[in-house]
Amino acid sequence: MSYEHPSLAPLAARLAAVPTLPADALDAEEIAVMGRKQGELTLLLKSLATLSIEEKRAMGGALNQLKQAFDAAFAARRAELAATAAAVEARQVDLTMPARQSWTGTRHPVTLVVDEIVEIFRGLGFTVALGPEVETDALNFTMLNFPPDHPAMDMHDTLYLGGEGGGGQVGERLLLRTHTSPVQIRVMQDGPPPYRVVIPGMVYRNDAFDPSHAPAFSQIEGLAVDEGITFVDLKATLTHFARRFLGPDTRVRFRPSFFPFTEPSAEMDVGCRLCDGAGCPACKGTGWMEILGCGMVHEQVLRNVGLDPERWTGFAFGMGPQRIAMQRYGLPDIRLLYGGDMRFLTQVGGGTP
Ligand code: DAH
């Protein structure tokens, strides 16, 4: 519908405003436009009689359309206001109540830590790789050089999937991966070296939920394989990481350890940040906190994926972002990170509770 005659533009604008008029303005506006004596539209319609035939033709149709449109608009707005009033009445809505505060979300503390760690390794040329949480025991254990009777494969430690308590041939059973290390194998099977990857993801163990354990938690795995990589590269990379993440003065130490898929293996500790090395309950009086396991990729693991250990060497590491978040934010209980309590989460990440 068009009221394009220039003299009708002001009325067309008022028509457009009718749907937003408040109840107490509606009657006055209707009288001002359509009132029998002084209504603006009424006067224009009356003045048609004084116009020439051509002018009548030009204006008459437009004015009548405008009148119908106003009639419809006033009726519709009146019905709408009546419906709202009825709803308020029926629900006994108290319009004087304060409005609900708008809510801002935030990233979870563990997500913050994972993102920050990944970003540090990205700066060293690592890319992110991902793998499935349901894994075969071949990739989770065998290919990583676990012997067939390793205690980690026990039903008490690992959550197996499928029938009959997870029975079947080793190499076929499905399980919830107990670590992100099988993704090392997947990465190496996917294409030729060199590799520099970090692998964040959830892992699962048949563990109790207590202040320092959870049956589902996250890990970040790392793998670097190339020609000429040595233990010096491992130490330099992980020391750089610790100092970027915890501060440039962070002290680190490497302790000999054992993992089936690395040789030699080590555990990296950082100076306890709470007591500055003096010894406190958080570091069990040692002045050090363990933050990751690491080592040179075992020759057998390289052979398992068809790489010649005479040519290719590398290092790997694995850490637990929940543990790291606990240290960073001074948390006494890992279960805080699982509760979804907004008062806790917003203390760390910001946003509104
Ligand atoms: N997969 C080990 C665990 O879950 C952590 C780990 C240790 C990963 C040493 C590594 C490594 O890649 O080199 O306990």
Side-chain angles (χ1 to χ4, degrees), residues 140 144 146 178-182 184 203 205 217 219-223 234 238 257-267 290 292-297 315-320:
N140 195 82
L144 287 164
F146 281 71
T178 60
H179 52 180
T180 42
S181 304
Q184 289 187 29
V203 305
R205 291 186 194 172
F217 56 100
Q219 283 192 337
I220 298 182
E221 188 85 13
L223 175 72
L234 176 157
L238 295 178
S257 184
F258 174 81
F259 301 101
F261 40 90
T262 46
E263 178 60 32
S265 305
E267 226 107 27
E290 179 189 317
L292 56 80
C294 57
M296 300 305 291
V297 179
F315 64 85
F317 55 89
M319 59 186 122

Side-chain angles (χ1 to χ4, degrees), residues 162-286:
E164 304 285 84
Q169 287 287 118
V170 165
E172 287 176 353
R173 283 189 298 186
L174 290 179
L175 45 82
L176 294 179
R177 66 180 178 191
T178 60
H179 52 180
T180 42
S181 304
V183 190
Q184 289 187 29
I185 303 294
R186 291 178 174 274
V187 166
M188 292 192 284
Q189 285 179 333
D190 218 38
Y195 314 108
R196 277 177 185 72
V197 291
V198 282
I199 304 151
M202 289 302 284
V203 305
Y204 303 87
R205 291 186 194 172
N206 199 359
D207 272 344
F209 207 20
D210 68 26
S212 53
H213 294 90
F217 56 100
S218 62
Q219 283 192 337
I220 298 182
E221 188 85 13
L223 175 72
V225 174
D226 204 336
E227 284 170 317
I229 290 195
T230 70
F231 204 85
V232 174
D233 299 297
L234 176 157
K235 286 183 81 172
T237 303
L238 295 178
T239 303
H240 170 84
F241 157 69
R243 296 197 170 142
R244 280 289 305 276
F245 187 75
L246 296 169
D249 301 328
T250 304
R251 290 171 305 126
V252 302
R253 75 175 183 188
F254 292 83
R255 276 182 295 110
S257 184
F258 174 81
F259 301 101
F261 40 90
T262 46
E263 178 60 32
S265 305
E267 226 107 27
M268 184 170 91
D269 298 341
V270 294
C272 178
R273 305 211 307 152
L274 298 180
C275 62
D276 205 21
C280 68
C283 60
K284 298 194 188 87
T286 64

Side-chain angles (χ1 to χ4, degrees), residues 17-352:
V18 171
T20 58
L21 285 179
D24 56 3
L26 199 60
D27 288 345
E29 179 68 355
E30 187 164 22
I31 290 168
V33 177
M34 322 272 281
R36 231 179 271 168
K37 288 188 181 143
Q38 295 297 319
E40 267 181 53
L41 189 54
T42 316
L43 292 178
L44 282 172
L45 280 162
K46 279 183 185 163
S47 71
L48 278 178
T50 67
L51 298 180
S52 69
I53 304 272
E54 294 87 75
E55 285 172 321
K56 250 187 226 169
R57 210 170 276 145
M59 288 291 284
L63 279 178
N64 276 315
Q65 276 186 12
L66 201 48
K67 182 174 180 322
Q68 281 169 21
F70 266 110
D71 278 332
F74 282 119
R77 180 61 178 153
R78 200 157 272 127
E80 189 179 35
L81 288 168
T84 309
V88 169
E89 180 83 0
R91 282 190 241 141
Q92 308 236 307
V93 176
D94 179 357
L95 295 175
T96 66
M97 289 266 282
R100 214 175 275 175
Q101 257 195 342
S102 71
W103 186 85
T104 322
T106 178
R107 283 185 296 168
H108 191 277
V110 175
T111 307
L112 292 170
V113 164
V114 170
D115 288 352
E116 204 179 314
I117 293 170
V118 166
E119 213 42 51
I120 292 172
F121 283 99
R122 217 194 283 279
L124 295 172
F126 285 67
T127 57
V128 172
L130 299 173
E133 292 174 17
V134 172
E135 200 43 287
T136 61
D137 65 2
L139 271 94
N140 195 82
F141 295 123
T142 321
M143 296 286 280
L144 287 164
N145 199 36
F146 281 71
D149 56 350
H150 192 282
M153 302 173 73
D154 198 281
M155 301 286 295
H156 295 288
D157 295 318
T158 296
L159 297 159
Y160 290 92
L161 301 172
E164 304 285 84
Q169 287 287 118
V170 165
E172 287 176 353
R173 283 189 298 186
L174 290 179
L175 45 82
L176 294 179
R177 66 180 178 191
T178 60
H179 52 180
T180 42
S181 304
V183 190
Q184 289 187 29
I185 303 294
R186 291 178 174 274
V187 166
M188 292 192 284
Q189 285 179 333
D190 218 38
Y195 314 108
R196 277 177 185 72
V197 291
V198 282
I199 304 151
M202 289 302 284
V203 305
Y204 303 87
R205 291 186 194 172
N206 199 359
D207 272 344
F209 207 20
D210 68 26
S212 53
H213 294 90
F217 56 100
S218 62
Q219 283 192 337
I220 298 182
E221 188 85 13
L223 175 72
V225 174
D226 204 336
E227 284 170 317
I229 290 195
T230 70
F231 204 85
V232 174
D233 299 297
L234 176 157
K235 286 183 81 172
T237 303
L238 295 178
T239 303
H240 170 84
F241 157 69
R243 296 197 170 142
R244 280 289 305 276
F245 187 75
L246 296 169
D249 301 328
T250 304
R251 290 171 305 126
V252 302
R253 75 175 183 188
F254 292 83
R255 276 182 295 110
S257 184
F258 174 81
F259 301 101
F261 40 90
T262 46
E263 178 60 32
S265 305
E267 226 107 27
M268 184 170 91
D269 298 341
V270 294
C272 178
R273 305 211 307 152
L274 298 180
C275 62
D276 205 21
C280 68
C283 60
K284 298 194 188 87
T286 64
W288 295 95
M289 300 231 226
E290 179 189 317
I291 69 164
L292 56 80
C294 57
M296 300 305 291
V297 179
H298 198 292
E299 288 191 3
Q300 188 57 46
V301 172
L302 292 171
R303 266 186 239 111
N304 287 347
V305 294
L307 294 179
D308 176 2
E310 294 299 324
R311 178 173 176 201
W312 303 103
T313 52
F315 64 85
F317 55 89
M319 59 186 122
Q322 269 93 1
R323 287 273 156 82
I324 293 176
M326 287 174 75
Q327 285 173 22
R328 162 162 281 195
Y329 302 115
L331 309 178
D333 192 320
I334 200 170
R335 291 172 295 189
L336 281 168
L337 294 169
Y338 292 78
D341 183 335
M342 289 307 294
R343 292 167 306 176
F344 163 71
L345 294 175
T346 52
Q347 248 179 47
V348 173
T352 44

